[in-house]
Amino acid sequence: MKHLKKDFVAWVIVVLFVMMVFTIYHQMNQNRYEYIENKDDDSYEQLHPIVSEKMEELLDKAAKQNIHVVITETVRTMEKQEELYAQGRSSEGNIITYAQAGESYHNYGLAIDFAIENSQGDVIWDTSYDGNNNGKSDWLEVADIAKELGFEWGGDWPNFKDFPHLQMSFGLSIEELKKGKRPLK
């Protein structure tokens, strides 16, 4: 009986310690984000300024490597997200997303999609294309540049590979974004 009491006390101490660490961590990080009160505000539909800045850097760095990147999408409305989600399900076409409205970083101005413009001026999604003839896929070169700039690349995802997709989550989950939490600008 005495042994069980000691085990219980030790377990309670461990739980309290973990709760204390979590509370301190949360308090230290609570000011890193802002909340948007009015989700219908025009600013809600705009690309986050840091994402926009890094997108411009991506275009410049890729151009210096003789790769012409085309940004094919930035902020996506909830209606557009639902339309894309319906594709391959309730409307014609192939499934191109598993994210319903509100479940994509595009919906919060934190994601962009890109493609490559080839030497003939065509916008392509060929991930093996080597237009600058350096023996490396232009697509993968762009993904590497993007990751150096702080983007997460959809081509690294384990399940659904989304090769054109780049996002910056700023440590926020989709659930937090749905509740109105936003990274500071």
Side-chain angles (χ1 to χ4, degrees):
M1 182 75 169
K2 207 175 195 182
H3 181 22
L4 289 175
K5 192 174 183 181
K6 284 183 182 179
D7 287 347
F8 178 76
V9 170
W11 183 82
V12 168
I13 290 170
V14 168
V15 169
L16 288 173
F17 177 76
V18 169
M19 288 174 58
M20 182 181 73
V21 169
F22 176 78
T23 301
I24 291 169
Y25 175 79
H26 179 71
Q27 287 175 345
M28 290 173 59
N29 289 292
Q30 70 181 351
N31 294 327
R32 291 178 55 208
Y33 309 107
E34 67 179 346
Y35 286 85
I36 292 182
E37 297 296 325
N38 183 0
K39 292 182 182 180
D40 296 323
D41 186 300
D42 288 343
S43 65
Y44 184 75
E45 294 296 328
Q46 297 174 0
L47 193 60
H48 188 280
I50 294 173
V51 176
S52 181
E53 175 188 321
K54 295 300 180 179
M55 177 184 70
E56 294 298 329
E57 286 184 49
L58 173 70
L59 296 172
D60 290 342
K61 288 184 177 216
K64 288 178 182 169
Q65 294 185 27
N66 201 25
I67 302 170
H68 187 221
V69 175
V70 177
I71 302 301
T72 59
E73 187 137 32
T74 58
V75 178
R76 192 179 292 151
T77 66
M78 299 296 180
E79 293 78 19
K80 176 70 172 178
Q81 190 68 40
E82 276 304 313
E83 182 183 307
L84 292 174
Y85 183 77
Q87 188 174 320
R89 293 176 178 87
S90 59
S91 66
E92 290 187 34
N94 296 325
I95 290 177
I96 59 169
T97 184
Y98 289 93
Q100 293 181 327
E103 296 178 355
S104 170
Y105 284 92
H106 283 287
N107 301 141
Y108 305 98
L110 303 177
I112 60 175
D113 287 342
F114 75 95
I116 304 291
E117 183 179 307
N118 67 16
S119 57
Q120 291 79 37
D122 298 320
V123 177
I124 61 170
W125 285 265
D126 180 355
T127 58
S128 62
Y129 177 75
D130 180 20
N132 62 2
N133 297 312
N134 67 354
K136 299 176 191 171
S137 157
D138 290 355
W139 202 279
L140 297 180
E141 287 182 80
V142 171
D144 286 342
I145 295 167
K147 290 189 279 187
E148 288 172 14
L149 292 171
F151 284 100
E152 176 185 342
W153 179 44
D156 287 332
W157 295 345
N159 298 323
F160 176 68
K161 301 286 187 189
D162 191 353
F163 293 106
H165 185 84
L166 301 170
Q167 70 185 33
M168 290 185 166
S169 69
F170 298 93
L172 295 171
S173 69
I174 288 294
E175 287 307 311
E176 290 172 310
L177 291 167
K178 286 169 126 175
K179 292 176 183 174
K181 205 169 196 181
R182 299 290 181 272
L184 292 174
K185 295 183 180 188

